[in-house]
Amino acid sequence: SPDTATIAVGASTKFYITFAPPDTGSRNANIVFWHTAPGSPVTVTVSGRGVQAGFLATPTNIAFGDVTVNQSKRDSVAVTNTGTLVFRVDSTRSSNSRFTVTPDTATIAAGGSKKFYITFSPTNSGRASGRVSVVHSVSISADGVSVRGTGVEAGFSVSPGSLNFGNVIAGSSKQDSVTVTNTGTSTLMITSVTSGNAEF
C-alpha cells in the first residue's frame, strides 16, 4: 500500500509491503509496478517464510492444598515453546496477590522450556484461588495456569479459664483439669506447659 500514487519530479513515495502467511512454509512473490515511465512494468521480488510459535504450560492447574497463614509454599509450571520460532515472555500477572510468580520475563527458544515458580502466601485462613497469566509474543492473548490453595491456622481455647482448688490438706493433693480445644483449621501444637508456682 498504496496501490497507486502520483510522484512529483525529484520526489519519492514509500510503498509498504506486508507479509502475512496463513501457515508455515516458504513463500515467494513478485510485486509489479505498472507506471508511465519507460521500462514499465518493474518487478520487485519478495520472499519470506511462515513459521510457528507455540505455547504449552504444564500443569495447567496447581492445587497448593493447606498452607499455614503467614507462611509460603512454592510450586512450579514448565512453559514450553512447541513451535519453530523463539518467543518472549513479556510479563506474568496474578489475579490474586496471594499467588506470586518468578521470573517475570523470559526468552524461550524453539523447542525449549522454562520453569516459572508460583508461590502461595496466605495472609488469612480460608480458600483462595486465582489465575496466573503469562503474556507472551506468540499471541495477543495471555495463557495461564489456574491456582488454588487454603490458608489454615490453629486456634486456641481453654475451658474453664480459672480453677479454684479450695481447701486442700497440707501434704496431700487434689487434681482438676482444663480442656484445650483447637478452634482453627490447622494442627495446634502445644510446645510447652509451665507453672508459675511449683505447688501447682
Side-chain angles (χ1 to χ4, degrees), residues 132-143:
V132 171
S133 300
V134 179
V135 181
H136 53 80
S137 60
V138 176
S139 65
I140 295 171
S141 62
D143 289 289

Side-chain angles (χ1 to χ4, degrees), residues 9 42 70 79 98 166 190:
V9 174
V42 171
N70 297 321
V79 173
R98 293 178 182 91
I190 306 297

Side-chain angles (χ1 to χ4, degrees), residues 20 24 53 102 111 118 129 141 151 167 196:
T24 60
T102 54
I118 301 172
S129 62
S141 62
N167 296 325

Side-chain angles (χ1 to χ4, degrees), residues 98-191:
R98 293 178 182 91
F99 300 94
T100 56
V101 191
T102 54
D104 190 48
T105 62
T107 300
I108 305 175
S113 195
K114 176 75 176 173
K115 205 171 257 194
F116 287 79
Y117 295 94
I118 301 172
T119 303
F120 175 43
S121 305
T123 54
N124 55 7
S125 58
R127 293 181 181 172
S129 62
R131 185 160 180 82
V132 171
S133 300
V134 179
V135 181
H136 53 80
S137 60
V138 176
S139 65
I140 295 171
S141 62
D143 289 289
V145 177
S146 296
V147 289
R148 66 184 186 279
T150 303
V152 294
E153 60 184 335
F156 183 95
S157 173
V158 61
S159 179
S162 64
L163 294 176
N164 185 346
F165 285 88
N167 296 325
V168 179
I169 297 171
S172 66
S173 65
K174 182 178 179 182
Q175 190 176 60
D176 204 342
S177 66
V178 296
T179 301
V180 173
T181 303
N182 179 356
T183 58
T185 53
S186 178
T187 302
L188 171 66
M189 304 293 289
I190 306 297
T191 56

